[in-house]
Amino acid sequence: VQPTQIRSNILSFHNRIYSELRAARIDSKSSRSPKVTVCVTHYERPLVLLESLKRIQRQTYSNFDVIVVDDGSASPETRRILDKIIAPLLHRNGWKLVIANHAYLGAARNRCVENTGSDVDYIFFTDEDDAIAPHALQSFVDVAEYAKADIVTAFFHLFWGPSHLQP
């Protein structure tokens, strides 16, 4: 089997499953809208973080909040952008910025979980350079609810170049 056929089979499978999930959600009598906290880790790339936050703002799912954990960014330019642009954006949306000592990705994610409220049903981990699709949170919730899953993971789109930053 050729790689293009394998890719086509995988995409067909996922499209079929996604269609079934959407149909199940539409047919469901439940109006449950679980609360999601999006945990975004960040280190020394505030403009990339800003683009990521803009993508998160465009989610089709609405019952979510965001916690950005800055993992000890120290450069004056990064600190300035965090203070003057990122923090006000987060504040306007009711989201949170947590400044942590530099301890790397795992510790930053743990710090995010520590700052998550007790009303949260799911935590969605992402990094500042991840380009999540507008329907990512909706798909995440659909799958988790349909499968009654405690953990959900996803494939990723591989790209070359800066095209992931386009709206």
Side-chain angles (χ1 to χ4, degrees):
V1 178
Q2 296 296 317
T4 54
Q5 183 60 48
I6 293 169
R7 182 178 191 279
S8 177
N9 291 348
I10 289 171
L11 290 174
S12 293
F13 170 77
H14 283 278
N15 286 335
R16 182 176 55 80
I17 296 299
Y18 184 70
S19 293
E20 290 175 14
L21 289 171
R22 297 295 297 168
R25 184 171 188 270
I26 290 167
D27 292 342
S28 172
K29 302 291 185 210
S30 170
S31 60
R32 180 166 150 76
S33 180
K35 176 79 177 276
V36 177
T37 290
V38 178
C39 288
V40 183
T41 57
H42 169 258
Y43 181 72
E44 295 290 357
R45 296 190 291 183
L47 297 179
V48 175
L49 173 61
L50 183 59
E51 289 302 318
S52 180
L53 292 172
K54 288 177 183 177
R55 284 184 175 273
I56 291 169
Q57 284 181 306
R58 293 191 296 258
Q59 288 298 298
T60 59
Y61 191 77
S62 61
N63 192 16
F64 71 93
D65 62 5
V66 175
I67 299 174
V68 173
V69 177
D70 177 73
D71 188 32
S73 295
S75 76
E77 181 65 9
T78 296
R79 298 296 318 146
R80 185 186 69 72
I81 293 171
L82 284 173
D83 292 342
K84 301 291 184 191
I85 298 171
I86 303 295
L89 170 67
L90 294 171
H91 181 73
R92 278 192 308 273
N93 286 287
W95 299 345
K96 189 184 304 186
L97 175 63
V98 175
I99 305 295
N101 292 327
H102 187 55
Y104 300 98
L105 190 56
R109 287 185 177 150
N110 288 342
R111 181 61 60 94
C112 182
V113 171
E114 291 168 1
N115 282 274
T116 299
S118 61
D119 63 333
V120 171
D121 296 291
Y122 298 111
I123 299 173
F124 183 97
F125 292 103
T126 188
D127 303 323
E128 85 256 338
D129 62 346
D130 294 341
I132 64 173
H135 62 277
L137 294 181
Q138 183 67 64
S139 297
F140 172 75
V141 169
D142 286 347
V143 169
E145 291 286 294
Y146 180 77
K148 296 177 180 35
D150 293 325
I151 298 173
V152 175
T153 189
F155 286 101
F156 64 93
H157 294 281
L158 183 62
F159 57 85
W160 299 102
S163 62
H164 70 287
L165 295 179
Q166 301 303 315

